[in-house]
Amino acid sequence: MAWSDHPERLFDEAAACVTARGVGRPDLAIILGSGLGPLADEIADPVVIPFADIPGFPVGAVSGHRKALVFGGLEGRKVLVYAGRSHAYEGGDAAVMKVPLGLLTRLGSPPLLATNAAGSVNLGMKPGDVVSISDHISLGGPNPLIGDSDERRFVPMADAYSPTLRARLRVAASSIGLALDEGVYMWWSGPSFETPAEIRLSQRVGADLVGMSTVPEVIMARRLGLMVAGLSIVTNYGTGMQVIAPNHMETKHVADTAAPRLKALVRAFVKEMAHA
Ligand code: HPA
């Protein structure tokens, strides 16, 4: 389902489905990446809707992802969590998350926090660290807006990762004593991991992190007018920088162990938003 399929009606249909099941207007939307699904368990009085029940939603199956929308309370605010995402590499469609993102425009266009597990190509960002994404590099796959014929396709990407939200993340991190670096995330389409030469390239062009997600979503979210922030959990160093080649088991395991820090940061961030 490329962008060109006139998405507005699909967004309306998804909205009709979820609002009929009790989903209201969130103050924040969060996409949870590999191994980060347990954050959804923190939501109070949740409405849980499997993606398979929502028209237009992708139902890919990457292990470590749950594939459900969870709506409910966190720190006294309303949040909508996508526990699991679909990736461009699953079926070759970079616009695969179009309807989940478009749905948000029908629910008041909350800010979007995209999370992921990522490799680090910067020795200063270690496995287990949480990093706020300051910018991205997209050379690894097609632009999700190819096929969009609306003038809004020419999306400015300066400050794609909102300086306001990033500042709130910094305040939230310091309120819980968490060191939070900022870094540039480079998208490689996957699902194969990068080669050592690709990791060296990533370092030379100014990336700090590499990963297989998030970038297409952020481009679409900006097209849809959403404010965006991104958080990576570093699960490994890039291929060639560590003895054992990066692999999916390691990604899930390290993301699991770092998930409590991410949870604490998200809670503090939600509290911080309440003050803003
Ligand atoms: N490369 C790409 N994606 C990833 C990695 C990596 O090293 N680690 C976790 N996701």
Side-chain angles (χ1 to χ4, degrees):
M1 200 201 317
W3 190 276
S4 51
D5 304 327
H6 301 290
E8 302 294 326
R9 183 180 44 82
L10 297 172
F11 302 166
D12 290 338
E13 282 170 12
C17 166
V18 303
T19 50
R21 289 171 70 161
V23 172
R25 287 184 161 230
D27 300 300
L28 175 70
I30 308 172
I31 300 177
L32 297 178
S34 295
L36 306 176
L39 196 102
D41 299 338
E42 312 266 304
I43 306 304
D45 303 320
V47 176
V48 181
I49 311 178
F51 291 164
D53 292 359
I54 310 174
F57 266 49
V59 286
V62 178
S63 62
H65 286 262
R66 253 191 252 189
K67 303 288 175 189
L69 178 162
V70 182
F71 174 80
L74 190 70
E75 299 293 344
R77 311 281 282 184
K78 292 290 182 200
V79 300
L80 183 153
V81 173
Y82 289 138
R85 60 153 59 83
S86 286
H87 306 76
Y89 63 70
E90 290 169 49
D93 178 10
V96 65
M97 288 291 284
K98 174 175 71 176
V99 178
L101 293 168
L103 167 60
L104 300 178
T105 66
R106 303 300 191 262
L107 300 173
S109 294
L112 174 69
L113 177 63
T115 69
N116 61 48
S120 167
V121 302
N122 176 339
L123 287 172
M125 298 180 189
K126 306 177 299 300
D129 285 357
V130 182
V131 178
S132 169
I133 301 175
S134 56
D135 202 348
H136 75 220
I137 300 172
S138 175
L139 296 177
N143 192 293
L145 301 180
I146 291 173
D148 182 2
S149 54
D150 189 291
E151 283 294 295
R152 284 173 292 178
R153 67 186 156 181
F154 300 111
V155 185
M157 292 297 286
D159 292 335
Y161 298 82
S162 157
T164 309
L165 296 180
R166 282 159 51 200
R168 285 189 200 154
L169 280 170
R170 284 194 293 273
V171 173
S174 72
S175 78
I176 57 167
L178 180 83
L180 183 71
D181 263 337
E182 288 207 326
V184 174
Y185 178 98
M186 181 160 183
W187 181 39
W188 291 93
S189 80
S192 55
F193 280 90
E194 300 74 31
T195 63
E198 286 164 346
I199 292 300
R200 290 195 297 275
L201 171 73
S202 307
Q203 289 170 322
R204 283 179 198 165
V205 297
D208 299 294
L209 306 166
V210 288
M212 308 176 191
S213 68
T214 305
V215 164
E217 289 157 20
V218 171
I219 295 170
M220 287 188 285
R222 296 303 297 145
R223 157 73 172 82
L224 293 163
L226 304 174
M227 279 175 89
V228 178
L231 287 177
S232 292
I233 285 188
V234 176
T235 56
N236 56 278
Y237 286 117
T239 307
M241 295 174 67
Q242 59 178 33
V243 177
I244 300 169
N247 58 78
H248 191 52
M249 283 294 292
E250 172 187 62
T251 297
K252 284 191 293 185
H253 174 69
V254 180
D256 275 352
T257 56
R261 280 195 291 286
L262 187 88
K263 280 186 196 175
L265 178 57
V266 170
R267 276 188 181 278
F269 179 62
V270 171
K271 269 196 209 161
E272 182 55 34
M273 291 181 63
H275 298 149

